[in-house]
Amino acid sequence: MSSHTTTPKKPRTRRISESTIRRLSIYYRALARLEAEGYHTVSSKELARRERLTPAQVRKDLSFFGSFGTRGLGYPVSELRGKIARILGIDRMWNVALIGVGNIGSALVAYKEFQRQGFHIRRIFDNDQRKIGSNHKGIMVSDIADLESELKASKIEITVIAVPAHAAQDVADRCVRAGIKAMLNFAPVNLKVPDDVCLRTENMSMELEYLSFSRVNQGSVETVLLDAEKA
Amino acid sequence: MSSHTTTPKKPRTRRISESTIRRLSIYYRALARLEAEGYHTVSSKELARRERLTPAQVRKDLSFFGSFGTRGLGYPVSELRGKIARILGIDRMWNVALIGVGNIGSALVAYKEFQRQGFHIRRIFDNDQRKIGSNHKGIMVSDIADLESELKASKIEITVIAVPAHAAQDVADRCVRAGIKAMLNFAPVNLKVPDDVCLRTENMSMELEYLSFSRVNQGSVETVLLDAEKA
DNA sequence: TTTTTATTGTGAATGAGTTCACATACCACG
DNA sequence: CGTGGTATGTGAACTCATTCACAATAAAAA
């Protein structure tokens, strides 16, 4: 290997940070509101002001994906919104399966926001015999025993895991075996999945713990230090 | 103002990053499992392996709050767990109010994990006359009209906002006026609150959008760029 | 008691993400 | 058609977080 020439490995695959993608979601919603309010263009300054960000941040985030604005004028509201939808991949429908139809699962079935965003729950699974066969918003609950086969047969692309913590890793493993590459997990455990599988976890307890921490010591660590050491 | 002397403002209040606190929650759960499995000590290496982190990360995180380990041996499992509970402020009970008892709200009332972590729902509010006065797991639903007065009277410390998006900002403002300093928001909007109020938002749509993005272009931006520009 | 082994705690180095600052470019108006 | 005003897009500077690497030190073994 020639080490005296600079390797021309200018990585053609720039990696986008998680924060940038989260903010893209924020811009998307902000643009929807701006559109509803009748705006045709918006500056990075105004967008930033509305979402409590900095103008530079907005411009930098967008610049990763191209040049969408007009100098001196700003960004075209509805056009940019469409472009972001395309970037996020929400300009299409996604086939989703819900696994576990307990408290949280039931709430998710009824949650209209998902549907509105193009995420359609096509299958529901549970292991409770009393639930299997019952109807949830027009979807028959399937036996979780048939998970792998049904996931494959029904072209599911995303699974939502809403089973108890102790069962979650097993369910995740089975989804992986069925070829699922994207999962949203509501069980309060850190699931382990292969690198090529995208997993997001909504851990409400962790959020509450963060609130609790912030409340106890307002961001500073002094009190914590003292308390923890004298304890 | 003397500007020639270096201000001795060595900030006694080290700020802890959000990521560190999130990981503290992770360690806390991992330690609970280790305890259940009968371990008395654990090394940063083992803790890291289990949670897919690096040993250095584990040690650095903990070191912000003190020295909890023994060189050559590791950390005492159950003692460290207690210390983290103390740091996170979950070695006590928190009085929580739930605002909005629709799909998500109902699921949260029934969710036992909160209770188990010391977060007790003491009040429930809604604006629907049919729900007001009804009983949810032993708690009478109050009229949201009485929000401020009841929040104050019942020593609520944390509010969980589970109302529709369009009503969320108003509810948040009223919580702020009632002196609430910590809120967990489930409405898909970026709420604006004063700096001294801690707000966390669980936005499931945003998580799905992140999954969608990751699925469409496996972390790289190439396809996005091309698609977005030709569109 | 001394040596070996293991693992912490932490400054220093690296890397990632954010903000700054300004050249660039477009629109509007005269 | 030229000039003024304005906001983008981006390299460079900066700030914050993670990883490295090793001295410090406790336990176990000899």
Side-chain angles (χ1 to χ4, degrees):
Chain A
M1 165 190 163
S2 69
S3 60
H4 64 288
T5 56
T6 328
T7 333
K9 194 170 31 182
K10 162 86 92 48
R12 295 296 307 125
T13 51
R14 273 166 292 174
R15 228 204 157 64
I16 301 295
S17 78
E18 176 173 334
S19 334
T20 292
I21 300 168
R22 299 187 78 90
R23 284 192 297 269
L24 243 39
S25 290
I26 293 174
Y27 304 148
Y28 179 77
R29 282 176 184 65
L31 288 165
R33 275 194 301 282
L34 283 160
E35 199 172 5
E37 290 170 25
Y39 289 92
H40 288 174
T41 61
V42 65
S43 66
S44 57
K45 192 175 164 192
E46 171 63 9
L47 198 46
R49 191 191 59 74
R50 289 188 166 225
E51 300 303 319
R52 301 263 164 107
L53 297 165
T54 66
Q57 181 92 81
V58 173
R59 295 201 299 277
K60 180 67 88 176
D61 283 337
L62 295 175
S63 79
F64 288 131
F65 302 96
S67 298
F68 306 116
T70 306
R71 291 170 193 228
L73 192 62
Y75 298 93
V77 171
S78 98
E79 195 182 317
L80 179 58
R81 180 161 174 250
K83 294 258 175 80
I84 292 179
R86 196 182 180 86
I87 292 168
L88 289 175
I90 53 175
D91 59 340
R92 45 157 291 187
M93 279 192 191
W94 290 91
N95 295 320
V96 177
L98 171 69
I99 309 174
V101 61
N103 296 321
I104 295 173
S106 308
L108 296 177
V109 179
Y111 194 52
K112 294 180 203 71
E113 193 70 13
F114 285 168
Q115 187 99 228
R116 189 133 30 94
Q117 297 275 329
F119 298 97
H120 290 267
I121 297 180
R122 307 292 193 194
R123 286 284 187 289
I124 302 177
F125 296 92
D126 206 296
N127 69 345
D128 187 335
Q129 290 303 324
R130 287 165 301 183
K131 289 173 185 164
I132 295 168
S134 71
N135 217 324
H136 275 256
K137 293 262 168 181
I139 303 158
M140 200 72 89
V141 177
S142 308
D143 190 333
I144 201 170
D146 307 326
L147 186 62
E148 288 92 330
S149 56
E150 282 222 38
L151 284 182
K152 283 178 192 162
S154 51
K155 301 221 170 68
I156 296 294
E157 300 158 296
I158 299 176
T159 54
V160 175
I161 301 179
V163 301
H166 63 84
Q169 184 63 61
D170 179 56
V171 166
D173 293 343
R174 292 174 64 189
C175 289
V176 169
R177 280 202 295 278
I180 298 295
K181 299 288 185 203
M183 312 186 202
L184 181 55
N185 170 43
F186 285 89
V189 279
N190 244 0
L191 298 179
K192 275 81 177 180
V193 295
D195 284 347
D196 67 330
V197 175
C198 183
L199 168 74
R200 307 289 301 173
T201 295
E202 291 267 10
N203 193 328
M204 296 171 242
S205 298
M206 266 174 63
E207 299 298 333
L208 283 173
E209 285 161 14
Y210 187 94
L211 283 179
S212 162
F213 174 86
S214 308
R215 225 36 243 111
V216 169
N217 42 83
Q218 308 82 245
S220 96
V221 80
E222 286 319 295
T223 51
V224 176
L225 244 179
L226 298 172
D227 290 2
E229 289 188 336
K230 79 169 175 240
Chain B
M1 162 188 165
S2 70
S3 60
H4 62 290
T5 56
T6 326
T7 331
K9 195 171 31 180
K10 163 85 93 49
R12 294 293 311 122
T13 51
R14 274 166 291 172
R15 232 209 154 63
I16 301 295
S17 78
E18 176 173 333
S19 333
T20 292
I21 300 167
R22 299 187 79 88
R23 283 191 299 266
L24 243 40
S25 291
I26 292 174
Y27 304 148
Y28 178 77
R29 281 176 184 67
L31 289 164
R33 275 194 301 280
L34 283 161
E35 200 172 4
E37 291 170 25
Y39 288 92
H40 289 173
T41 61
V42 66
S43 66
S44 59
K45 193 176 162 192
E46 172 63 10
L47 198 46
R49 191 191 58 75
R50 289 188 167 225
E51 299 304 318
R52 301 263 164 108
L53 299 165
T54 67
Q57 181 92 82
V58 173
R59 295 201 298 278
K60 179 68 88 180
D61 284 338
L62 294 176
S63 79
F64 290 130
F65 302 95
S67 299
F68 305 116
T70 306
R71 292 171 193 228
L73 193 63
Y75 299 92
V77 171
S78 100
E79 194 182 318
L80 180 58
R81 181 161 174 248
K83 296 258 176 78
I84 292 179
R86 196 181 180 88
I87 293 168
L88 289 175
I90 54 175
D91 58 340
R92 46 157 291 188
M93 278 191 191
W94 289 91
N95 295 320
V96 178
L98 171 69
I99 309 174
V101 62
N103 296 320
I104 294 174
S106 308
L108 296 177
V109 179
Y111 193 51
K112 293 179 205 74
E113 194 68 13
F114 284 169
Q115 188 97 228
R116 189 131 32 94
Q117 297 274 328
F119 298 97
H120 290 266
I121 297 179
R122 308 290 194 195
R123 285 285 187 287
I124 301 177
F125 297 90
D126 206 296
N127 69 346
D128 186 337
Q129 290 303 323
R130 287 163 303 180
K131 289 173 186 166
I132 295 167
S134 72
N135 217 324
H136 275 257
K137 294 264 167 180
I139 303 158
M140 200 72 91
V141 177
S142 307
D143 190 333
I144 201 167
D146 308 325
L147 186 62
E148 288 92 329
S149 56
E150 283 222 36
L151 283 182
K152 283 178 192 159
S154 51
K155 302 218 169 68
I156 296 294
E157 300 159 295
I158 299 176
T159 55
V160 175
I161 301 179
V163 302
H166 63 84
Q169 185 63 61
D170 178 56
V171 166
D173 293 344
R174 293 174 64 191
C175 289
V176 169
R177 279 202 296 277
I180 298 294
K181 299 288 185 203
M183 313 186 201
L184 181 56
N185 169 42
F186 285 88
V189 278
N190 245 1
L191 298 179
K192 276 81 177 180
V193 295
D195 284 346
D196 67 330
V197 174
C198 183
L199 167 75
R200 308 287 303 173
T201 295
E202 291 267 9
N203 192 327
M204 297 171 241
S205 298
M206 265 174 64
E207 299 297 333
L208 282 173
E209 284 162 14
Y210 187 94
L211 283 180
S212 161
F213 173 86
S214 307
R215 226 35 244 112
V216 169
N217 43 85
Q218 308 82 245
S220 96
V221 78
E222 286 318 295
T223 52
V224 175
L225 244 178
L226 297 172
D227 289 3
E229 289 188 335
K230 80 170 175 236

